[in-house]
Amino acid sequence: MLRTHTCGELRLADINKEVILSGWVQRVRNKGGLLWVDLRDRYGLTQLIFEEGDSSKELLEKAATLGREFVVQAKGLVIERTSKNDKIPTGEIEIKTKELTVLNPSKVPPFIIEDETDGGEDLRMKYRYLDLRRNVIREKLQLRHRMMQETRRYMDGQDFIEVETPVLIKSTPEGARDFVVPSRINPGEFYALPQSPQTFKQLLMVSGFDRYFQIVKCFRDEDLRADRQPEFTQIDCEMSFVEQEDILNTFEGLIGHLFSSVKKVDLGTVERMSYADAMTYYGNDKPDLRFDMRFAELNDLAQGKGFGIFDAAELVVGFCATGAGEYTRKQIDALTEWVKRPQIGAKGLVYVKCNGDGSFKSSVDKFYGQSDLQAWAERMDAKPGDLLLVLSGDVQSTRKQLSELRLKMGEELGLRDRNVFKPLWVLDFPLLEWDDESKRFHAMHHPFTSPKTEDLKLLETDPGNVRANAYDLVINGVEIGGGSIRIHDRGVQQTMFTHLGFSDEEAKDQFGFLMEAFEFGAPPHGGIAFGFDRLCAIFGGSDSIRDYIAFPKNNSGRDVMIDSPSAISSEQLKELNIALDKK
C-alpha cells in the first residue's frame, strides 16, 4: 500500500506514529525556512510540515517545487499542531515529513479546486474529473451512495428481490420520445432504451416474484432543465396482491427510513390530498405544503360589481400572503410586472392590504367598498397585516398563474426552508386527458394504470371523468415518485388501448406479449417509481440534480467532457444499414 492512513483519519491519539499518506496537494504555504503543504484525498485534508533544521535542504527544496494537484506520498511522524485549526477534523495534528515522493506532477488546473471555486459551470463540466475532487461535489455523491445503500437495506428487509431488466427493448408510442439503437444483425430494425422497466416489472408479477425492486437507469429524449437529464435513475418497485393502501404504507416506510437513517429527520405523518383538491386549492398537482396560502374562489363575491375584468372572467381567485400587508407600492408593482411576464401570462394583479386598524386598501377601491373587501378577507381567513393577491381569467391558466405567484411569495417571505420537509400523497388523478391536437385521449400516467373500481363503469360512456387508481409522492413541491395499481385483466387493458386510439392490430403489435401474459393468471399488482436523482437533490438541499450525478449532461444533452453525442464513421453507418440524407 502507498499509504498507511487516509488524509482524514489522524487525530491527537495518533501522536508519535510513523505514517505514510498519499494524496493531492491542495495548497503550499512557503515561509522560507518553514513550509506547509495541505494534502487532500476523498477522506479529508492533513497538513504536512517541513522545517529548516528538522528537514534536509533537499527535502525543503523538493517541497517548494510542489504545485496544486501534484500527487505525492509523504512519510513522517504525527505531531501536535502549535496553531490548531478547528474547522477540519485533523486540525489538531500535522505530519513532520521525513520523506516526500512525487507520484505524478500536475499541470496548473483550469480552476481552483476548492469549495469556493473560480470555475464557471461550463468549464467545470468540461473538466468534470477535476470538479469531482471538490468537497462540495464529492459530498453530494457520497450522499447518493448512502441513500442507495439504505434503499437496498430497507427493500431487502421488506422481502423485495432486486432484478435487473433489459436495457435494449422495444419502442412504444406512449410517453416521452425514445432513444433508439439500430440493430446491425437485424437491418432496418431498432431497439429502444427504456423510459422505465414498466412492462417487465409487470411481467415479473405474472412470474410470481411478488416483490420486485431495482435501482435502474432510464432514458428519455426530452427537453432538459435543472431537474431533468436524458439518462436518470429510478428506484423502481412493484408488488403483487396489494391495494393502493398497501403501496402507500410500504413506501412511506421507505421514505421515512431514508430520512431517519441519512438525515436524522423524523418525517412524521404523510398528508394525503386528491388531485382535484390540489388543483383547486394550490393550482398544481404537486403543492408545496411548507406554507399555507390556500386559494379561495371569489366569483360570488367579486362579480356583478361593475369591474368588467372580473365580470368577464371564468374564475376570480386569490390567496392571503400572511404578514405581507406592509409591502410597498413599489413591491406590489414589481409583483404585477412579474405575473405579466410571458412565462406567467397574467393580464394584471389585484391586491388588497389588510390594515392594522381593520380597514382595507386595494387597487380596486373604485368598485368595491369596505364591506366587500371584508368579505374577501373573511373568505381567505386574512387578518390585519396580511396582503390579498387576486387573479382572474379562464380556470386552467388562472390557477396555474396563481400557483406560480404563490411559490414566489413563499420564497420572498422566507417560507420555503430547505431544512423543513413536508411530504404529501396526491391521489385520484384523472385516468385520461384529452388532447385537442390529436383529437384523442392520452393516458395521464401510462396505459397500464387501473381505473378506480367505482369508475370502471364510466370507461365506455364517460372516459374523461374516470379517476385513476394512481398516486404521486410530493415533497416540498417536487414530485419524487409516482405509481398506480395496474390493470391485470386483458379485457380492461384492451378497452384502455381502444380509448387511447390504438387499433386492435396496433395494440397487439405493441403490447400483445403483455396482454397474452394476463391470460396466464396475472395477480392484482401495483407499484411506484421514485426519481432517485431528484430525491438526492432534495436531501442535499439543491434545485438541480446535476451535481448528484457523477458525469451529467448539460442543458443541450451533451457531455462536454467526452464531446458526446458525436458523429460516427461512414463505415459504421453502412454496417448499421443507415444512410444519412446529404442535403
Side-chain angles (χ1 to χ4, degrees), residues 64-342:
T65 66
L66 297 178
R68 284 180 178 263
E69 301 309 310
F70 275 44
V71 185
V72 303
Q73 180 191 66
K75 298 181 181 180
L77 188 70
V78 181
I79 62 172
E80 185 172 0
R81 279 178 68 159
T82 304
S83 178
K84 294 180 173 58
N85 182 353
D86 60 5
K87 292 183 174 59
I88 57 174
T90 60
E92 293 183 304
I93 59 94
E94 60 190 353
I95 309 302
K96 183 187 290 187
T97 311
K98 301 300 182 184
E99 295 181 37
L100 179 68
T101 303
V102 175
L103 301 174
N104 211 336
S106 172
K107 294 196 299 184
V108 176
F111 54 87
I112 296 172
I113 300 174
E114 294 186 13
D115 289 0
E116 297 297 326
T117 181
D118 59 350
E121 187 173 37
D122 291 342
L123 183 65
R124 289 187 288 109
M125 287 194 72
K126 180 176 175 60
Y127 295 95
R128 180 64 170 175
Y129 49 87
L130 297 180
D131 199 29
L132 289 171
R133 293 181 188 175
R134 296 197 302 131
N135 289 334
V136 290
I137 306 299
R138 187 191 69 248
E139 287 166 1
K140 288 179 169 65
L141 291 181
Q142 288 177 204
L143 171 67
R144 182 187 180 98
H145 163 78
R146 178 82 187 281
M147 292 178 66
M148 199 171 280
Q149 302 313 308
E150 292 297 338
T151 296
R152 288 193 165 99
R153 182 172 291 113
Y154 176 85
M155 298 300 281
D156 184 60
Q158 297 292 317
D159 292 328
F160 283 79
I161 180 171
E162 187 166 9
V163 181
E164 295 172 283
T165 52
V167 174
L168 297 174
I169 65 169
K170 185 176 187 174
S171 182
T172 59
E174 287 290 319
R177 294 185 189 89
D178 288 325
F179 283 101
V180 295
V181 181
S183 171
R184 178 184 60 81
I185 57 177
N186 298 282
E189 296 185 313
F190 297 81
Y191 300 105
L193 302 181
Q195 296 184 34
S196 86
Q198 182 62 43
T199 54
F200 289 101
K201 67 179 180 178
Q202 290 191 247
L203 290 170
L204 284 168
M205 298 302 103
V206 178
S207 303
F209 291 89
D210 65 329
R211 292 194 167 204
Y212 143 92
F213 88 102
Q214 185 181 188
I215 300 177
V216 58
K217 278 279 190 178
C218 300
F219 307 85
R220 291 180 187 171
D221 187 5
E222 59 185 357
D223 295 336
L224 306 180
R225 58 190 188 209
D227 63 348
R228 283 185 181 169
Q229 284 275 299
E231 54 179 304
F232 57 95
T233 302
Q234 287 185 177
I235 307 173
D236 198 61
C237 316
E238 200 80 3
M239 304 171 71
S240 292
F241 306 112
V242 291
E243 296 177 328
Q244 177 176 287
E245 193 67 24
D246 303 306
I247 301 282
L248 302 189
N249 289 335
T250 299
F251 293 102
E252 278 182 31
L254 170 61
I255 298 301
H257 171 76
L258 290 176
F259 269 96
S260 64
S261 61
V262 176
K263 288 195 71 69
K264 310 303 180 189
V265 169
D266 180 2
L267 201 56
T269 303
V270 181
E271 292 188 42
R272 299 184 182 188
M273 183 183 300
S274 71
Y275 169 86
D277 282 350
M279 297 304 294
T280 298
Y281 297 124
Y282 298 98
N284 67 59
D285 59 3
K286 46 183 184 295
D288 186 344
L289 297 187
R290 285 174 292 183
F291 58 102
D292 193 15
M293 298 191 198
R294 278 169 55 118
F295 295 0
E297 297 183 7
L298 302 173
N299 290 50
D300 60 321
L301 300 178
Q303 291 181 325
K305 303 286 186 177
F307 185 44
I309 293 173
F310 280 3
D311 290 344
E314 187 178 3
L315 177 68
V316 182
V317 62
F319 63 79
C320 170
T322 305
E326 297 301 317
Y327 263 42
T328 64
R329 183 59 185 267
K330 181 178 179 181
Q331 287 175 296
I332 294 172
D333 287 346
L335 289 176
T336 303
E337 291 306 310
W338 188 85
V339 299
K340 289 167 70 173
R341 297 181 312 153

Side-chain angles (χ1 to χ4, degrees), residues 495-508:
T495 301
M496 183 70 165
F497 285 141
T498 300
H499 285 299
L500 292 173
F502 288 82
S503 67
D504 289 347
E505 293 74 20
E506 288 170 333
K508 183 177 180 181

Side-chain angles (χ1 to χ4, degrees), residues 33 40 42 55 60 62 82 104 110 119 173 175 232 307 324 396 429 436 451 456-457 501 507-508 559:
R40 181 195 72 239
R42 81 173 175 94
S55 304
L60 272 169
K62 191 173 192 179
T82 304
N104 211 336
F232 57 95
F307 185 44
Q396 188 171 355
F429 286 82
D436 286 328
L456 194 56
K457 59 184 180 297
K508 183 177 180 181
D559 185 327

Side-chain angles (χ1 to χ4, degrees), residues 363-379:
S363 54
V364 286
D365 282 342
K366 180 179 177 182
F367 302 96
Y368 299 95
Q370 292 291 298
S371 61
D372 296 319
L373 300 178
Q374 174 73 37
W376 292 17
E378 289 174 358
R379 177 71 56 87

Side-chain angles (χ1 to χ4, degrees), residues 40-55:
R40 181 195 72 239
D41 61 15
R42 81 173 175 94
Y43 304 95
L45 184 145
T46 298
Q47 180 172 281
L48 313 179
I49 185 170
F50 302 81
E51 190 170 7
E52 199 171 49
D54 285 334
S55 304

